[in-house]
Amino acid sequence: MIKNNNNSSSSIKNHPCKKKPTTLLLLLSLLTTSLLLLLRLSQNKIILITTTTTTSDSDHHHRHKSPGLGSNPCLGRYIYIHNLPSRFNTDILQDCESISRPKDKISMCKYLDNYGFGPMIGDGVSVDSRYSPSWYATNQFMLEVIFHEKMKRYECLTRNSSLASAIYVSYYAGLDFRRNLRRRNVAERDAAGKEMFRWLKKQPQWKGMSGKDHFLVTGRISRDFRRSSVNNSLWGTNLMLLPESQNLSFLTIERSPTSHNEFAIPYPTYFHPLSTVEIRQWQDNIKLTNRTVLFSFAGAQRPSRSQNGLVRTQVIQQCKSSCKSCMFLDCDVKANGCDDPMSLMKLFESSVFCLQPPGDSLTRRSVFDSILAGCIPVFFNQGSAHKQYVWHLPNNDGEYSVYIPVKELRTGGKSRIEEILRGIPNEKVIGLRENVIRLVPKIVYTKPNRYKPDGETLEDAFDVSVEGVIKRIEEQRRKFQE
């Protein structure tokens, strides 16, 4: 064996011309293998960079830049969710019977089903197929749950708060308020909000900008959180008047007109589609709807001692006096007229115009139900929509709605509303309806697991709200740094 090896070695030495090609081949083989390995590693690195949503700290410098071609689509869009103690959100849901009121015909627990959308409407057989399976009996106060469920599946979440463009506080302030509604002691009503801020102020994320990069979503109107007195008989909590609240951005279904840090976002409707295709199909359906009613109103009487109550009284009276042109759906508790979501939707779908007078407050969920039905909203107060929902509705309210000043109701006679609406040219009506139907995607909250193919640009109410609050916080950040 040793002898053979020596012979072999000797043979190679005796033939130097054979050594060169062998050595070259080995070197070329090693070089090729190394290049392939480097290329493979490089490809893997590129894939990792483009698919991850939680990037390295090196991206911190670029977090607020607009995504360009080939860049990370989450740059400038990262959101960090505070891991609040459960007593501020999920425990409230576990105690759902406490958020039901004696007058509620259905337990609030039922409305927590399906990501907060509530029970599904119909079974697809007994109900018009257009209303299934993406239609739900959604309660108007469920926005906090709906928003949180969608945020938990947001495509640009980060666990590294230093990368976040905004920080979400998932406190269910509206449901907590409803749970404590009957408490006479205001200190008990205010306790959870104060405790929540004590917790937040201990977190490192708060200290950077003192909460100016934080936002909170409420499913009730601003007035419910602006009790300025310790009088036990007064309504609401003082959450939005606390010193810490002045730094937060609040997203709410109705903002205070004097507030600098509140932004109104749409009430939830009954429609929660899974895809863009469903939204487009619904838009096509309502374009072809036969509208046999000139105008309609769905609502209940309000006390006439208030300005809003007087306006509503006038609206109901004029609708009844125009019985051939107007349909009135009584939503009084005893009337039960509005208990069925589909009765409401079919009324709005059959109407050219939908009257939207103020009620308990300036805004109404019905505004968004009418837009969803392709019905042109008619407002009697400029604070009911276009001064509220600046992120979701056009700046020019005349593009999608009709405004009738209150004085027209008082001095124009008992059929003034009908006269004004009949006086609008047909071409104008068609244009208004087309603009209303275009708004549908921006006023619906799609399912949290919504299908989003690559390149999809359609934004729902959640997407528009997130984009709006990130821009707002970026403005706050620039001021803070100056």
Side-chain angles (χ1 to χ4, degrees):
M1 295 284 291
I2 296 173
K3 184 178 179 180
N4 289 341
N5 284 340
N6 288 338
N7 288 341
S8 175
S9 178
S10 178
S11 174
I12 293 172
K13 288 178 182 178
N14 292 335
H15 299 86
C17 61
K18 291 183 180 179
K19 181 178 179 181
K20 273 188 176 178
T22 305
T23 304
L24 287 171
L25 285 171
L26 286 170
L27 288 171
L28 286 170
S29 177
L30 286 169
L31 182 62
T32 303
T33 302
S34 299
L35 286 171
L36 287 171
L37 183 60
L38 285 169
L39 179 61
R40 180 67 176 172
L41 288 172
S42 175
Q43 288 174 335
N44 287 343
K45 185 176 181 182
I46 292 169
I47 291 170
L48 278 171
I49 292 172
T50 56
T51 57
T52 186
T53 56
T54 306
T55 60
S56 65
D57 287 339
S58 63
D59 282 325
H60 178 69
H61 178 69
H62 304 285
R63 68 178 177 184
H64 306 304
K65 288 187 177 180
S66 299
L69 184 65
S71 68
N72 187 334
C74 287
L75 292 183
R77 300 175 59 224
Y78 283 111
I79 290 181
Y80 176 84
I81 302 179
H82 267 303
N83 186 22
L84 287 181
S86 60
R87 62 184 176 275
F88 297 117
N89 41 48
T90 55
D91 286 358
I92 297 173
L93 305 186
Q94 292 296 323
D95 189 25
C96 58
E97 287 297 346
S98 69
I99 59 178
S100 297
R101 297 170 65 182
K103 291 183 180 180
D104 291 342
K105 296 175 183 177
I106 300 176
S107 168
M108 291 294 284
C109 297
K110 293 293 294 181
Y111 292 117
L112 298 176
D113 295 346
N114 300 307
Y115 311 112
F117 296 150
M120 186 181 292
I121 293 173
D123 53 13
V125 178
S126 59
V127 175
D128 189 325
S129 60
R130 292 183 305 167
Y131 302 125
S132 184
S134 292
W135 291 80
Y136 299 81
T138 305
N139 186 281
Q140 68 174 358
F141 298 121
M142 283 295 132
L143 183 58
E144 294 156 358
V145 179
I146 292 169
F147 205 97
H148 191 191
E149 289 294 335
K150 286 181 69 67
M151 185 56 74
K152 286 190 288 188
R153 295 160 180 81
Y154 176 61
E155 62 268 25
C156 294
L157 290 182
T158 179
R159 293 181 181 178
N160 184 348
S161 60
S162 68
L163 299 179
S165 293
I167 297 175
Y168 171 51
V169 181
S170 56
Y171 170 40
Y172 297 165
L175 294 180
D176 187 45
F177 163 72
R178 190 179 173 95
R179 180 170 62 165
N180 294 302
L181 193 62
R182 294 185 292 277
R183 292 184 184 272
R184 294 286 297 168
N185 189 328
V186 294
E188 293 179 356
R189 277 186 257 157
D190 299 341
K194 292 179 178 179
E195 186 182 354
M196 186 267 298
F197 276 119
R198 280 196 294 271
W199 184 90
L200 277 179
K201 289 166 71 175
K202 293 177 182 177
Q203 309 309 308
Q205 293 82 9
W206 179 272
K207 295 171 183 177
M209 290 179 60
S210 300
K212 289 185 177 180
D213 52 356
H214 287 50
F215 72 98
L216 189 151
V217 178
T218 71
R220 296 188 70 94
I221 64 174
S222 169
R223 189 178 65 197
D224 293 340
F225 308 103
R226 289 184 163 274
R227 193 203 70 251
S228 59
S229 169
V230 294
N231 188 331
N232 287 336
S233 65
L234 294 181
W235 179 263
T237 76
N238 67 348
L239 175 69
M240 289 185 177
L241 298 181
L242 295 174
E244 298 86 352
S245 289
Q246 307 318 302
N247 288 349
L248 258 69
S249 295
F250 285 94
L251 309 189
T252 179
I253 54 176
E254 179 181 316
R255 65 180 291 270
S256 166
T258 60
S259 173
H260 69 283
N261 63 336
E262 294 175 35
F263 304 88
I265 63 176
Y267 286 76
T269 65
Y270 302 115
F271 184 43
H272 306 287
L274 184 61
S275 66
T276 299
V277 172
E278 278 191 83
I279 296 174
R280 297 302 188 207
Q281 287 175 343
W282 176 252
Q283 288 176 299
D284 290 340
N285 283 338
I286 56 177
K287 285 177 186 176
L288 303 174
T289 300
N290 183 25
R291 299 181 187 272
T292 58
V293 179
L294 179 62
F295 62 109
S296 64
F297 173 62
Q301 183 65 63
R302 289 291 181 268
S304 296
R305 63 179 178 270
S306 68
Q307 174 68 19
N308 289 348
L310 288 170
V311 172
R312 187 167 284 213
T313 298
Q314 284 285 332
V315 165
I316 292 174
Q317 288 176 352
Q318 292 207 24
C319 183
K320 288 180 176 180
S321 67
S322 301
C323 57
K324 293 183 179 179
S325 303
C326 183
M327 286 190 65
F328 171 50
L329 186 62
D330 192 353
C331 296
D332 187 85
V333 175
K334 296 178 182 178
N336 299 324
C338 301
D339 288 350
D340 178 17
M342 294 304 95
S343 295
L344 280 169
M345 288 305 300
K346 288 179 178 178
L347 172 65
F348 295 157
E349 287 172 52
S350 66
S351 305
V352 178
F353 298 98
C354 290
L355 307 183
Q356 304 295 349
D360 295 325
S361 68
L362 290 176
T363 64
R364 306 182 71 215
R365 175 220 177 109
S366 176
V367 170
F368 299 99
D369 291 333
S370 67
I371 291 173
L372 181 59
C375 184
I376 301 164
V378 179
F379 298 114
F380 303 88
N381 190 304
Q382 292 184 324
S384 292
H386 81 278
K387 287 186 177 179
Q388 289 279 343
Y389 308 99
V390 295
W391 294 343
H392 297 78
L393 299 179
N395 291 330
N396 182 0
D397 58 324
E399 292 180 9
Y400 68 94
S401 66
V402 175
Y403 172 60
I404 300 178
V406 173
K407 64 180 180 180
E408 289 282 353
L409 296 181
R410 293 174 180 165
T411 61
K414 64 179 183 180
S415 300
R416 187 56 181 152
I417 295 175
E418 182 177 353
E419 291 171 4
I420 291 172
L421 298 181
R422 285 199 183 280
I424 301 174
N426 190 53
E427 315 83 69
K428 175 71 172 175
V429 172
I430 292 171
L432 287 170
R433 185 183 306 122
E434 288 176 349
N435 289 336
V436 166
I437 293 172
R438 288 192 191 100
L439 292 175
V440 168
K442 290 186 175 183
I443 59 97
V444 297
Y445 294 92
T446 57
K447 288 185 174 68
N449 57 340
R450 166 183 158 197
Y451 173 63
K452 284 188 178 181
D454 291 341
E456 179 175 298
T457 58
L458 185 139
E459 295 180 321
D460 74 346
F462 172 85
D463 296 324
V464 175
S465 301
V466 169
E467 181 181 339
V469 78
I470 286 176
K471 286 181 179 178
R472 145 74 180 181
I473 290 173
E474 182 58 30
E475 292 171 2
Q476 292 294 96
R477 183 175 285 109
R478 284 197 295 269
K479 291 178 183 177
F480 185 83
Q481 291 171 346
E482 289 171 359

